[in-house]
Structure formats: structure tokens, C-alpha cells
Amino acid sequence: MKVSSRGEVDPFIVMDVMEAAARAESQGRRIIHMEVGQPGTPAPAAARKALARAMEESPLGYTLGLGLPALRARIAALYRDWYGVDLNPERVVVTPGSSGGFTLAFTSLFDVGARVGIGAPGYPSYKAILKALGLEPVMIRTETQHRLQPVPGDLPQDLDGLLVASPANPSGTMLDRDALAALIGAAHARGAAFISDEIYHGIEYERKAVTALEITDETYVINSFSKYFSMTGWRVGWMVVPEDHIRRVERLVQNLFICAPHASQVAALAALDCGDELQANMEVYRKNRTLMLEGLPKAGFTRIAPPDGAFYVYADVSDLTTDSRAFAAEILEKAGVAVTPGLDFDPERGAGTLRFSYARSTSDIEEGLSRLARFMASR
């Protein structure tokens, strides 16, 4: 059967690591999961209760393409509460996860062949989705002196779009207001659309993340309930678009997805009012971050930078290996700790990096660090 070249995208290596870890667990081994960027906590209790009630009271059929009006209004209120931004709820699009948001944004903004800049290291699915849509990912090499974030001088002139994440995956680093504004200005000067990935907002440690909406309305902002709200498997997120883009995005939603899952939207609406439980999760991340920043160097992973947000530590291990995928497999086999090879995030330099996630329970992080220390001592 003839196939499309759209399917010829790189594998998402962390998913391969998860599969290898699952095989080890099926053989009776206890694996400590530091590979996947997934909270170890469930959706907030009130969210789960709200869905249970809705399942008894409603058939949970299709919603409006752009999402439940109450959810869109509550998301708009979040921007007022978190950032002091007065946001028209009509600009909010509820999406099937941030992945659905990226697909919608790229489809709305770019024609086939458009060049879209993304930082390296960066979330690997950006590149895969762009390629699958017939767009050209332009990898922008970031540097440690800029905390692995792009700066205006890094940008080529011939860009149709620029996608930036703050806090970033895999580094956890953030852009301050001036740095974000400079990138937005540089993109607009090139006639390029600006997309801000803000999926890790809410998971910050020493300062609040800046939303692109504080700087301009001429941007697409993508977020999700997956990370801060601990709802990865529910597949519900949102996107904020300029007012003159609402109808074009609505047409795409209607045809590509119909709507985000109604059940997940019900739970998401309730999750937005679960601040105490979500902040309790944050205290776990704070403690885990401290443990990682102390424990990784003691284990021998010394070339790391403290993350500003998210729940990752990105480590330069080029002094330890030239093959991060083989090194991660060795760590899994001998230490029983699953970690992600940097090749997922940076094809050029990722053979010398690893990403460690600390999104799970504190007891798991303590056990994982202990295993890593024993492994490195005997290596």
C-alpha cells in the first residue's frame, strides 16, 4: 500500500524508554521513573467528583467546537488572576491537549513549506508535528550562556514563525519579560508569527513565568491541563489566539477534532478552582528539585543548571558518554532508573546529555538518586 512521507518522522525516544521500563517491570523489577514528564498525582479530587456527577446527569455529547463557554470564561479569568491580563473569553480555544493546540496553530498560521524556528534543545514533537504538516522546522542552536533559550541574534531572517517555550522542556529555564519581548519583537520584525508554549506555567520556583499576552495580543499562546493541573491523560488544553483569528481556528477545530472531550472539559473546569491541592503538589516539586540539585552532583552528574520551572534537570554528560541512548539503557538495566537521552531534544548535541524528571513522589526521587549514586560509584 502506498504511504505518505508525513509518517516518516523521528520516534519520540522517551516513549521507547517508557516501553523498555514497562518490560522490566513486567519481569518483576521495580523501576524508578525519571524519564517521563508526567505528574505522579491524579487529577484534583474536585475535578474527579465533578466528572462523576456529570456522568450521572448528562450524556456528555459534543460541545461547541471552541469549548464549553464556562470553561473558556474561567480560563480567561486565570489570566487576570495570574498575570493581571484582561482577556476576552472568546479568544480562548479549548483543545485536545497541547498537541491539538500545536496542530491547530501550525495549520492556521502556516502554508506547506513555511519555515518555523524552534530552539534546540527543545520538545521533540514540535519538529515531528511540523514535518508531518509539510512545514520546515528550523533548529535554532541555543547556548548555555543564554540558559538554553534563543536570543534575537540567533534567529535567521527568513522565518515564517517562531515557537518558544518558557519554562522550557528539557531545561526548565525561563525567559524574563525583557527577553521574551525581545524575541517577540525580533519575530514580528521578520514578519514571523510568534507562538508561546506555556504548558509549564504554574510550576515555577523563584519567580512567576511571563505570558506572551502581557506583551502582545498578536501571538498564539498554548497551554494545557497536563502539567500544573496534573491531568496528562485527560487530553485537554487551551490556546489563546488574536481576535481576528477566532473564526478561522473554529473552522479548523470543527473539522479536525469536532471538539475537545466533553468529559475532560468538565473536569478541567473544576480543576481550575483546586488551588490548595495544586499548591500541595508544588511543594512536592520544590522538595524534589532541591533533592535533585543536591543529589545529582553527588552521584557524578555535575554539569547541570538549576531549572527555573517545570520538573526537569538537563545534564551535560559528555564527560561520561558519547552515546546518551546507550548510557540511558545502561542506567535502566543496572540501576533500575529510567531517564531520557538528550537525543530526543537536540539531535546535534543530545548524544552528550540526559534529562531527569522529578515529577514523581519524593520517596521515588530519593530512591532514584540513591540508585544513581551506587551505579555511578561502581561504573
Side-chain angles (χ1 to χ4, degrees), residues 179-202:
L180 183 58
L183 283 170
I184 292 172
H188 289 172
R190 290 161 171 76
F194 189 86
I195 304 171
S196 183
D197 178 359
E198 301 181 359
I199 190 172
Y200 292 101
H201 278 221

Side-chain angles (χ1 to χ4, degrees), residues 106 109-110 114-119 130 136-138 140 155-164 183 186-188 190-195:
F106 298 159
L109 290 169
F110 308 120
R115 289 166 49 83
V116 182
I118 51 179
L130 287 167
E136 182 181 349
V138 179
I140 300 170
L155 307 184
Q157 288 297 323
D158 56 339
L159 285 180
D160 298 292
L162 176 64
L163 169 59
V164 172
L183 283 170
H188 289 172
R190 290 161 171 76
F194 189 86
I195 304 171

Side-chain angles (χ1 to χ4, degrees), residues 43-48 50 71 74 78 225 228-231 264-278:
R48 289 176 274 132
L71 177 56
R74 184 63 185 82
L78 182 75
F225 288 89
Y228 176 72
F229 295 96
S230 196
M231 295 176 64
S264 298
Q265 293 188 60
V266 169
L269 177 58
L272 285 159
D273 291 318
C274 294
D276 289 346
E277 185 174 346
L278 297 170

